[in-house]
Amino acid sequence: MPFIPHTDDDLAAMLQTIGVADIDALFDEIPAALRVGGLPAVPPGMSEAAVVRLMRARAARNVDSLCFLGAGAYEHHIPAAVWELATRGEFYSAYTPYQAEASQGTLQLIYEYQSMLAGLVDLDVSNASLYDGATAFAEACLMAVRASRNRNSRRVLVARYLHPLWRKAAETLLRGQAVELVELPSSGGRTDMQALAALDAQDFAAVCLPWPNFLGGLEPVDELTDWAHGRNMLVIAVCNPVAIGLLKPPGKWGAQGADIACGEGQPLGIPLSSGGPYFGFMACRQALVRQMPGRIVGQTLDIEGRRGFTLTLQAREQHIRRSKATSNICTNQGLMVTAATIHLCLLGSEGLRRVAAQCHTNTRALVAALTSLPGVDLQFSPYFHEAVLTLPQPVAPVLARLAAAGILGGHDLQADFPELGHALLVCATELRTAEDIETYRQAMAGALGMAVAT
Amino acid sequence: MTQVPQNLKYTDDHEWVRAEADGSVVVGITDHAQHALGELVYVELPDAGRKVARGDAMAVVESTKAASDVYAPLAGEVIEGNPALASQPELVNTDPYGEGWLLRLRPDDAAALAGLKDSAAYSQLLAAEG
Amino acid sequence: MRREDLIFEQSRPGRRASTHAPATIAAIDDLPASVLREAPPPLPEVSELQVVRHFTRLSQLNFSIDTHFYPLGSCTMKYNPRVSNTLAMLPGFLARHPLEPDSHAQGVLESLFDLQELLKAATGMSGVSLTPMAGAQGEFAGIAMIRAWHLARGDTGRTQIIVPDAAHGTNPATASMCGCEAIEIPTGPDGDVDIDALRRAVGPKTAGIMLTNPSTLGVFERRISEIADIVHAAGGLLYYDGANLNAILGRALPAGMGFDVVHINLHKTFSTPHGGGGPGAGVVAVNSRLEPFLPIPIVGKRDGSYVWLSEADRPQSIGRLSGFMGNTGILLRAYVYMRLLGAEGMRRVSGYATLNANYLSTRLAAAGFTIAYPQRRASHEFIISLKDVARDTGATAMDFAKALLDRGFHAPTTYFPLLVPECLLIEPTETETRQELDAFVQALCEIRDLAFRDVGELKRAPQTTPVRRLDDVRAARQLDLVWHSRSGTVN
């Protein structure tokens, strides 16, 4: 019996102690009409060896490619130690650290994570993580509405070139609380400062600024931060955690810095894995900490005066505040945060900077290689880590031909952003080599129907 | 022993109210309430100028294990919250009827104060709740 | 006593684990200085061995299923099979970019499609979406679907969600997130919902009811069919919180009880890891009336291939809940577990989980502990109340919890549900041996003896853990949430 340790003797003795004839008798409070004899549509159990065979075959049915696709999920090097350590049973099979004395490993790790994350975005405090980048973005909007000085506004401004899937997820999550996302005017692949005057007559709780934006573009974050603060709005930074190893962190934007930073933690040691599990991060200024959703770990002392760690500010949470909680969220993405914390330690600040710089340099080399082909042009600069190319023909068939040649060529922007034309979002992380880029250039030439120039 | 000063008015939700000479009232939570909550770690107070109806949730008192709304005992306008509580929420525990007051309110109808419980009636309520 | 310095305190300027980043830093000459970071991020500078040693030591400060009996009520802390992890982490699964063509991910999609089918079978429902990333998101999806169903019929006034007072706090928090009002109804003395109170609570504003069955009180709601009839007759729908599905797996179906939507915590019933607090998976299953509203994406089958269904296929969907497809890697772990168990294995899960709970409850009752609902059959969990011990000795449920840690057991859930004073909610799960349960009974008896003999000594527990009892009030009043070099070390 898989995972059930009872011997026949155990079973007999336990039934006798309880005073019933068999296990079925233990279900006698379920009305007979509701009881079922089994699950006929579920197949019989399998041995571990058979399941291993099945899943290896399934894994082999997937097709690996040379990846130039980013668009919110990035293939980076993950040190072997990260998942060796994160999947230790003491981390993997522990629960939420409610009994603090028996959970100091998890709690200290989260405190270290909060410290690294807050330092990375240059804000005061961080929570223990949320589900993913999209939900962190949605929670940041809800938090800003709760904390806003423009108390009557339930509207939040969003840059047009924020991840379109995140926006869709946020719309689902905000609908119930009647919070509305309003798009900022844009031109040239980023927010248009000149067109902001049209918004001056209206109240908004906050403005959300992606950094870099979905197109790899660099928004005018300093000017927008000051503009928003001048109108009593909060500023929400939605940032790539690797990119801000090199780019100006949200806490330094404009005269006062952003108020809340959030984003997708996947680039910090989390495998691509079809889109999850990842984790969302969130940090904010100290003054907003009570409006922040999710678990938070604090340092304190035990009765002997020794340092220890515990969940704190729990009265904001659903298990105490019930219908008045900041969110219904119960968990963080503990295991993912465990991996990300180890990953950040192994990189260190210099390592993170080098990874960010190499991603950018490789993307520049990719842009140079592809724009050497006739009809392929760079749409916007400056860009960071990711860039938009214009192709001389519709993108989807080109990507399909590249995929057949073993290359994930990037993300087709035409459906979400038709104003960009035949636009392709490309990315080359630190893992791509000069040979990889040359392979892509030749494949792209072929996919566009050109003679391959070598 | 739980203190119930005789010069105050009380609500069923364990708030106390004290009439001031200028027509305003001071509101706090009772000794019984602070004891039931345990050591307070945070008090959330409304902004000055906020209009409240009787029974509105207007403040939150928070311990490590519980968070409770404080309801407006009378309709009116908030004049000020107790500024000392931002850094010293424990004042509500140590001196609930004095330094630990929560806020001052200008009642719409000063006569409504008479409708609240006196100390004897509140003591009876406590006895009944056991 | 064991302790471990913060990784920041082990950092020295210039030290690096250098094999993990490019050997040189590439020049950034195309960007203005105004967009660049001035000071490097304050990350620790440590060697790889320091990192390995630090996190290995931190792990050893934890209690976990792999190291300790962990009878945390309503959390189903059963053994997490290693093979589920090994197979979900095959390179062929980890390397999948979420936006790659469906043709490249057929092995993943087939597994997820099969998982959807297995979950339909286990609940009796007709549609499944795997995208919710935790139980709380599953709840959100469920209530959002109920709202969407009413609105699609033009029934705009249904904004109340009925929740029993024994419910987990997430239920009312979810109602609020969905723009609904939570209406609490009381529980009767036998642990079942107060049916008369329910009749009074339902009406034209009722959107639905959220129920856990067996409930958080550890008993099966016997009048569930009557409840379903009352709520349906009032125009509302029924939401099943799957927190306790482990108790009835293969024995009763949420669909058969009259529920319209159910969320399942794969990290409970289907043994995916709790990971120190996530990632979970809170998949939702629905009957046909709610199927059009399921959150996207969903795996479909078209012309012999597996595809992600999106807005175009499900125009009435409540929408997306995540950036991509939810916690796919967790879903694969649950799939492996379900294939290992099969139909008979699933039925054994509920059978032996219930056997262990009733055995433990019977033995504790015989040892003189107060069972909260002694007249009822325990489900896969049960409650003891230490109210009498507290009255006689001053020892609280929290004291018992801490003393259990010293005896090598993780504590049960304490002070939940709120209805039972000084309570421990105990869920042993099916994967524990009779001998482990006997040892747990003995530990509780010893602790009670100690309470009567020397309650002061009991209140000093825990004494063998890496830290002693922590000052929660200080943690909340003097917030210290991030390390600063100026924080210094406290010994």
Side-chain angles (χ1 to χ4, degrees), chain C residues 24-160:
Chain C
T24 57
I25 183 151
I28 303 294
D29 53 14
D30 61 327
L31 298 176
S34 63
V35 305
L36 297 177
R37 184 165 196 132
E38 287 177 9
L43 298 175
E45 298 180 83
V46 285
S47 73
E48 180 159 334
L49 175 57
Q50 283 183 297
V51 172
V52 169
R53 210 170 263 167
H54 176 66
F55 289 100
T56 300
R57 285 177 176 163
L58 281 189
S59 77
Q60 291 168 340
L61 305 183
N62 272 359
F63 279 39
S64 66
I65 300 168
D66 283 6
T67 52
H68 296 82
F69 181 37
Y70 212 125
L72 202 58
S74 265
C75 298
T76 312
M77 301 297 283
K78 63 168 93 175
Y79 172 58
N80 303 148
R82 286 274 142 191
V83 67
S84 298
N85 185 55
T86 306
L87 295 179
M89 294 193 79
L90 288 173
F93 289 124
L94 294 186
R96 309 267 57 81
H97 193 288
L99 298 176
E100 72 184 352
D102 293 348
S103 60
H104 286 38
Q106 287 297 298
V108 176
L109 288 167
E110 182 179 4
S111 303
L112 299 183
F113 185 88
D114 287 356
L115 177 60
Q116 290 174 178
E117 296 301 310
L118 289 173
L119 292 168
K120 285 183 205 171
T123 56
M125 294 291 183
S126 61
V128 166
S129 169
L130 302 173
T131 186
M133 292 179 282
Q137 255 212 343
E139 290 185 26
F140 178 91
I143 299 305
M145 281 189 272
I146 288 174
R147 280 283 286 158
W149 181 76
H150 289 306
L151 291 174
R153 300 162 75 241
D155 197 350
T156 56
R158 294 190 178 269
T159 54
Q160 293 182 344

Side-chain angles (χ1 to χ4, degrees), chain C residues 51 55 78 103 151 191 215 297 312 322 326 348 393 406-407 414 420:
Chain C
V51 172
F55 289 100
K78 63 168 93 175
S103 60
L151 291 174
S215 72
S322 63
R348 275 199 295 263
T393 70
D406 278 337
R407 285 160 180 78
T414 53
V420 183

Side-chain angles (χ1 to χ4, degrees), chain C residues 191-449:
Chain C
D192 285 342
V193 162
D194 180 338
I195 294 270
D196 292 330
L198 174 66
R199 284 187 209 281
R200 287 192 297 274
V202 296
K205 286 185 168 178
T206 301
I209 185 170
M210 300 178 88
L211 278 180
T212 310
N213 195 19
S215 72
T216 56
L217 301 174
V219 296
F220 190 87
E221 176 62 61
R222 290 166 293 190
R223 288 187 287 180
I224 182 60
S225 297
E226 195 179 343
I227 291 171
D229 290 344
I230 291 168
V231 174
H232 281 147
L237 298 184
L238 279 84
Y239 174 89
Y240 182 91
D241 180 326
N244 295 339
L245 184 67
N246 209 59
I248 58 159
L249 192 59
R251 310 235 167 217
L253 302 175
M257 296 180 215
F259 287 95
D260 300 283
V261 48
V262 42
H263 96 258
I264 303 161
N265 298 298
L266 298 184
H267 47 284
K268 296 182 182 175
T269 309
F270 297 110
S271 206
T272 66
H274 284 80
V283 302
V284 283
V286 296
N287 60 19
S288 56
R289 70 172 91 175
L290 288 179
E291 207 172 334
F293 304 98
L294 279 170
I296 49 173
I298 296 165
V299 185
K301 201 169 180 180
R302 200 178 282 153
D303 306 329
S305 295
Y306 298 95
V307 295
W308 284 111
L309 303 178
S310 63
E311 291 95 330
D313 309 287
R314 297 291 178 110
Q316 285 188 290
S317 166
I318 59 164
R320 306 185 62 88
L321 297 172
S322 63
F324 297 110
M325 291 79 179
N327 286 339
T328 308
I330 299 302
L331 303 173
L332 292 174
R333 286 170 173 82
Y335 179 63
V336 168
Y337 178 75
M338 293 179 88
R339 293 307 304 268
L340 284 166
L341 292 188
E344 71 283 20
M346 289 189 198
R347 204 170 144 81
R348 275 199 295 263
V349 160
S350 55
Y352 283 83
T354 304
L355 176 75
N356 274 0
N358 278 280
Y359 175 75
L360 199 51
S361 160
T362 304
R363 286 222 46 208
L364 287 171
F369 284 93
T370 303
I371 307 296
Y373 294 96
Q375 73 279 31
R376 300 292 307 271
R377 186 77 76 195
S379 63
H380 67 319
E381 62 186 354
F382 62 96
I383 301 169
I384 64 174
S385 171
L386 298 165
K387 193 171 95 174
D388 296 346
V389 182
R391 183 196 58 218
D392 295 343
T393 70
T396 64
M398 187 57 72
D399 296 327
F400 271 70
K402 302 305 182 192
L404 279 168
L405 303 181
D406 278 337
R407 285 160 180 78
F409 299 99
H410 194 280
T413 299
T414 53
Y415 298 101
F416 179 82
L418 308 170
L419 299 183
V420 183
E422 297 298 337
C423 71
L424 298 178
L425 176 60
I426 303 170
E427 181 183 0
T429 83
E430 72 278 8
T431 57
E432 296 298 331
T433 62
R434 175 185 165 211
Q435 292 71 35
E436 191 74 34
L437 305 181
D438 289 342
F440 183 72
V441 172
Q442 189 181 341
L444 279 176
C445 290
E446 283 171 18
I447 294 166
R448 186 182 50 188
D449 290 347

Side-chain angles (χ1 to χ4, degrees), chain A residues 151 290-291 313-316 320-321 324, chain B residues 41-42 47 60 62-63 65-67 69:
Chain A
R151 286 200 178 273
R290 281 170 189 282
Q291 297 300 340
L313 297 180
Q314 292 193 77
R316 303 163 301 119
I320 292 177
R321 259 322 235 165
K324 289 178 177 169
Chain B
V41 296
Y42 185 68
D47 293 336
V60 182
E62 199 181 294
S63 68
K65 301 280 183 270
D69 288 318

Side-chain angles (χ1 to χ4, degrees), chain A residues 1-3 5-6 10 14 17 23-24 26-29 31 34-37 39 42-43 45-46 58 61-65 69-70 73 77 79 85 87-96 99-103 105-106 108-109 111-112 114-115 119-120 124 131-132 134-135 165 168-169 172 175-177 244 246-248 272-277 297-307 309 312 318 322-323 328 330-335 346-347 349 354 360-361 364, chain C residues 4-7 9 16-17 20 22-23 26 29-30 34-35 37 41-42 54-56 58-59 62-66 70 72 77 81-82 85 92 94 96-97 104-105 107-108 110-111 114 134 136-137 167-170 173-174 176-177 179 184 222 224 247 251 256 273-279 311 318 320-323 325-329 333 335 339-340 342-344 347-348 350 354 356 362 376-377 402 430-431 435 468-471 474-476 480-483 491:
Chain A
M1 292 192 290
F3 317 121
H6 300 63
D10 288 334
M14 293 169 82
T17 299
I23 284 180
D24 285 351
L26 296 171
F27 294 89
D28 55 4
E29 286 196 1
L34 300 183
R35 273 181 255 163
V36 295
L39 299 170
V42 174
M46 296 165 78
R58 295 266 172 97
R61 205 167 307 155
N62 299 319
V63 180
D64 288 343
S65 312
L69 175 55
H77 169 66
L85 291 165
T87 53
R88 284 181 63 91
E90 301 94 325
F91 288 134
Y92 187 80
S93 72
Y95 191 51
T96 298
Q99 292 291 335
E101 301 90 341
S103 313
T106 293
Q108 180 171 334
L109 185 144
Y111 180 83
E112 292 178 356
Q114 289 174 179
S115 304
L120 191 55
D124 301 327
Y131 305 130
D132 73 349
T135 55
L165 293 175
K168 286 180 181 165
T172 309
R175 193 182 302 131
Q177 296 181 63
I244 55 171
L246 208 65
L247 295 181
K248 183 183 277 191
L272 289 169
S273 188
S274 299
V297 171
Q299 180 176 304
T300 186
L301 301 177
D302 75 0
I303 54 169
E304 294 180 342
R306 269 182 316 221
R307 176 168 72 192
F309 302 91
T312 192
Q318 44 70 33
R322 299 178 77 87
S323 64
N328 75 342
C330 303
T331 46
N332 57 336
Q333 296 276 101
L335 195 63
L346 287 169
L347 282 183
S349 61
R354 289 187 187 189
H360 182 53
T361 300
R364 287 173 74 191
Chain C
E4 174 70 9
D5 285 343
L6 291 169
I7 193 74
E9 293 159 350
R16 293 182 51 221
H20 300 301
D29 53 14
D30 61 327
S34 63
V35 305
R37 184 165 196 132
H54 176 66
F55 289 100
T56 300
L58 281 189
S59 77
N62 272 359
F63 279 39
S64 66
I65 300 168
D66 283 6
Y70 212 125
L72 202 58
M77 301 297 283
R82 286 274 142 191
N85 185 55
L94 294 186
R96 309 267 57 81
H97 193 288
H104 286 38
V108 176
E110 182 179 4
S111 303
D114 287 356
Q137 255 212 343
H168 194 271
T170 329
T174 296
S176 295
M177 274 196 97
E184 288 208 347
R222 290 166 293 190
I224 182 60
R251 310 235 167 217
H274 284 80
E311 291 95 330
I318 59 164
R320 306 185 62 88
L321 297 172
S322 63
M325 291 79 179
N327 286 339
T328 308
R333 286 170 173 82
Y335 179 63
R339 293 307 304 268
L340 284 166
E344 71 283 20
R347 204 170 144 81
R348 275 199 295 263
S350 55
T354 304
N356 274 0
T362 304
R376 300 292 307 271
R377 186 77 76 195
K402 302 305 182 192
E430 72 278 8
T431 57
Q435 292 71 35
R468 305 280 300 278
R469 283 194 211 192
L470 291 161
D471 186 345
R474 178 192 172 97
D480 177 352
L481 310 180
V482 300
W483 181 83
N491 284 301

